[in-house]
Amino acid sequence: MSQSFNYRHLYYFWVVAKEGGIARAAERLDMAVQTISAQVRELEKALGVSLLRSEGRNLVLTDAGVAAMHEADQIFALGEQLPHRVREAAAGPTLRLNLGISDGIAKLAVHRLLTTVLDEPHLRLLCHEGEFQPLLGELAMHKLDAVLADRPAPPNPALKTTSQLLSTSAVAWYAPPLWADAARQAFPKSLAVVPVLLPTDHAAMRARIDHWFERERIRPRIAGEFEDSALLSTFAATGMGVMPAPVFLGEHLRVTHGLEHVGTTPEIEEHFHLIYSARKVMHPLLLRLLEKPQV
């Protein structure tokens, strides 16, 4: 990189790209349009490439501009975290673990997956629930230390992520007392008779369930579909229908929601993956998770 490269110039370019134009960037920064334009030109001169080009009355990113924008996103995301991290360090020893929790994963499983790190005396755990792809984007920008999900990350050399299967669990079916006896009769064929509650197709397990239904020639009587696993169990507890869940959650579902185990389908599995960025120095708590999965 040229010695004349200036991070302030990069910041001005980043704001221009975020705001969609020099005029809007100047307004946000409370600076003259000419000043912002000159700073962006200085950055282009230092890098030896054009980052913006005119398209009608609009400015658009060149291919080099897109690459610069991607790197700037990561740089300034880290910069935004700096004051908080410094104040946190000054306040006393903490070991921060910032995790993304994919909305497709069984939430009741998260605590069990994290058992090996929860006894860390200086732990500060931050959990962010969200959709799978946006969480991977935040991981790539180093806003997250790792993502817990029900599937591995798709191949993408640009993201430089590693996926490790922490554990698998067979899926069982749980019913409220209203439907328990009927669901047990001729299980699993009974799932074509009693009302069934399922995760939506955002969950990887749903595809496995659908494939199993097709293979067994069962046409389920679907009464509801839910993106959130906690909401799924809540509606099952009200008597709306029979639900699938990993077998290790059976006791919790019995005690908390009054659901009864009616049968197990070992052919269907729930998978738990830890996705993290490849680094030479790994977060110590991630190493602990990878060494001793709990589920």
Side-chain angles (χ1 to χ4, degrees), residues 1 6 8 10 21 45 70 76 81 94 124 133 207 223 237 274:
M1 181 180 294
N6 187 306
R8 184 172 293 276
L10 179 64
K45 181 179 177 182
H70 175 74
F76 294 118
Q81 296 174 24
T94 58
R124 182 170 181 181
Q133 290 297 339
L274 185 69

Side-chain angles (χ1 to χ4, degrees), residues 37-58:
S37 180
Q39 299 297 314
V40 173
R41 286 198 300 271
E42 286 296 321
L43 176 64
E44 292 177 322
K45 181 179 177 182
L47 295 175
V49 294
S50 295
L51 302 176
L52 299 165
R53 61 181 173 81
S54 297
E55 193 171 277
R57 294 185 177 182
N58 300 317

Side-chain angles (χ1 to χ4, degrees), residues 226-242:
F226 302 86
E227 285 192 359
D228 184 78
S229 59
L231 195 61
L232 172 63
S233 57
T234 298
F235 273 81
T238 66
M240 188 175 179
V242 181

Side-chain angles (χ1 to χ4, degrees), residues 6-52:
N6 187 306
Y7 282 93
R8 184 172 293 276
H9 297 163
L10 179 64
Y11 178 72
Y12 293 145
F13 158 75
W14 183 65
V15 175
V16 169
K18 285 282 189 184
E19 295 295 322
I22 291 177
R24 285 193 290 271
E27 182 178 352
R28 171 179 163 180
L29 297 170
D30 194 22
M31 298 174 66
V33 170
Q34 295 84 352
T35 301
I36 299 295
S37 180
Q39 299 297 314
V40 173
R41 286 198 300 271
E42 286 296 321
L43 176 64
E44 292 177 322
K45 181 179 177 182
L47 295 175
V49 294
S50 295
L51 302 176
L52 299 165

